[in-house]
Amino acid sequence: MNNLLSNIKIEVPSGTYLKDPESSTLGKKILTHSIILIDEMGFESFNFKKLGAAIQSNESSIYRYFESKHKLLVYLTSWYWGWLEYQLVIETYSLTSIEDKLKKAIEVLTRTTKNDNTYTHINEVLLNIIVINENSKSYLTKDVDDDNKEGFFMPYKRVVKRFSELISEYQPDYDYPLSLASTVIQSALHQQFVKDHFKTISNFDKQHTPTQFFTDLVLNALTYGK
Amino acid sequence: MNNLLSNIKIEVPSGTYLKDPESSTLGKKILTHSIILIDEMGFESFNFKKLGAAIQSNESSIYRYFESKHKLLVYLTSWYWGWLEYQLVIETYSLTSIEDKLKKAIEVLTRTTKNDNTYTHINEVLLNIIVINENSKSYLTKDVDDDNKEGFFMPYKRVVKRFSELISEYQPDYDYPLSLASTVIQSALHQQFVKDHFKTISNFDKQHTPTQFFTDLVLNALTYGK
DNA sequence: AACGAAATGATAGTAATACTATTATATTTG
DNA sequence: CAAATATAATAGTATTACTATCATTTCGTT
């Protein structure tokens, strides 16, 4: 994807940051290198002291942008879902047949992420790996309901809703458009993890891709009712 | 389920514990109350000091059974998968038609958990809630591959494999039996979470259950090929 | 170039965590 | 009843995830 739509800023829930990291070079460095570090060492081992060292800045300066490492994780995952919603919209918009739209949507949601040069300070491929490995930690907490009220998970829920609307448009009689949408989106992440770490329970290889699997699953579910 | 098969011990990977908690009253108290506490406060806030206080025992004594709270979590989730495998086997065994077996398996894997009085020191309903909220934390770590080599995730993988075998028996031509199996098992947990915390992206209510949703999904995927 | 404000950096400190190590006291077993 | 084993008590440690305070640098405006 090249700069068809440059300068589009991905919107992230404002409660996740104290100072907008997109508004300064230090902020952008925090984003760039937190992605690299979390990918390298995992979210548990990652902390603001290590991040400070990596960007030759100070722990205390990072706390001016994010009040906790949890909120930084929520920021990063929200950014990812916002970005993915964008991909979904622009790649399906011009298609005229609803079947093509649906198939394209499944492709966007289940394919391996490619880098998008529009956002130079964010490595989308690494961010996708972080989302695979750490996304669920952003909501599997005792504070989910509070965080949810603050709108932290809106970007994720918007992706689910958009996809479910395509499902309903393709098959208005289907009873579970939202559940099917969130199953595909969530399971696509899980299946990537399984493929890398629990190989004995995966069927994916060069010929058999998640996109193919989920496309069959969705189309069969919608084509033949119950 | 009553004591049809009493005294069947659920096997848990031996590397998860230092001393078998089933072998003593203190060990059983650790299991009973760790489940209650983790459910109450979440895995992050839970620690062995609090558990010690809850069972009027000492932190140091708990460390004689489990070398870390992570391994205790792996123990508990493994126990759950081992128990679920049991339910799967005994509830499908006597059925003769493969379609009935498959449908029953989906029911066992996607229904709301009921208490099983065979294991008095384990509350399966609470344990199921823990699995919904904390299961992914047992493998989304930098040590997954080591833990996997130690066999920590065998109970989970065995459930996936058994279910995938039923899928293949029902439809030998299907290309993704393992992926479909792990999608259903994993997504069933996720959908329960979504239903409780992200209501706006759920379609479940009294009339529309996860079991119904997943049954349609699987049968359509298998009945109508691609 | 000068001034004030804002941003960043440096340093110190804190309560809690996830343990380890050691020694003491119960409890069980032969 | 002694020895072995299990459990308890206590202390200690490095690290974490921050907060607080003050110093310095950078920036925009005149």
Side-chain angles (χ1 to χ4, degrees), chain A residues 5-23:
Chain A
L5 295 157
S6 57
N7 298 326
I8 301 276
K9 194 182 169 189
I10 302 294
E11 253 206 59
V12 173
S14 62
T16 58
Y17 53 84
L18 295 168
K19 181 181 171 170
D20 183 359
E22 302 269 2
S23 71

Side-chain angles (χ1 to χ4, degrees), chain B residues 187-226:
Chain B
S187 200
L189 297 176
H190 184 62
Q191 292 304 320
Q192 299 222 53
F193 182 88
V194 168
K195 182 172 152 265
D196 290 343
H197 299 284
F198 300 155
K199 293 193 179 68
T200 55
I201 54 166
S202 180
N203 293 117
F204 299 124
D205 54 37
K206 286 257 168 70
Q207 276 71 50
H208 300 86
T209 63
T211 300
Q212 195 56 57
F213 166 68
F214 286 112
T215 303
D216 291 354
L217 194 67
V218 172
L219 290 183
N220 282 333
L222 300 180
T223 307
Y224 306 98
K226 64 156 178 295

Side-chain angles (χ1 to χ4, degrees), chain B residues 19 26 57-58 60-61 64-65:
Chain B
K19 181 182 170 168
L26 179 61
S57 180
N58 202 277
S60 60
S61 304
R64 296 260 161 57
Y65 286 86

Side-chain angles (χ1 to χ4, degrees), chain A residues 202-214:
Chain A
S202 179
N203 293 118
F204 299 124
D205 53 40
K206 285 258 167 70
Q207 275 72 48
H208 300 87
T209 63
T211 299
Q212 195 55 56
F213 166 69
F214 286 112

Side-chain angles (χ1 to χ4, degrees), chain A residues 51-77:
Chain A
L51 177 57
I55 61 179
Q56 276 120 273
S57 180
N58 202 278
E59 197 187 354
S60 60
S61 304
I62 300 165
Y63 275 104
R64 297 254 165 57
Y65 287 85
F66 294 100
E67 77 185 75
S68 67
K69 74 170 189 168
H70 175 249
K71 291 207 170 169
L72 171 57
L73 178 63
V74 175
Y75 182 100
L76 293 175
T77 55

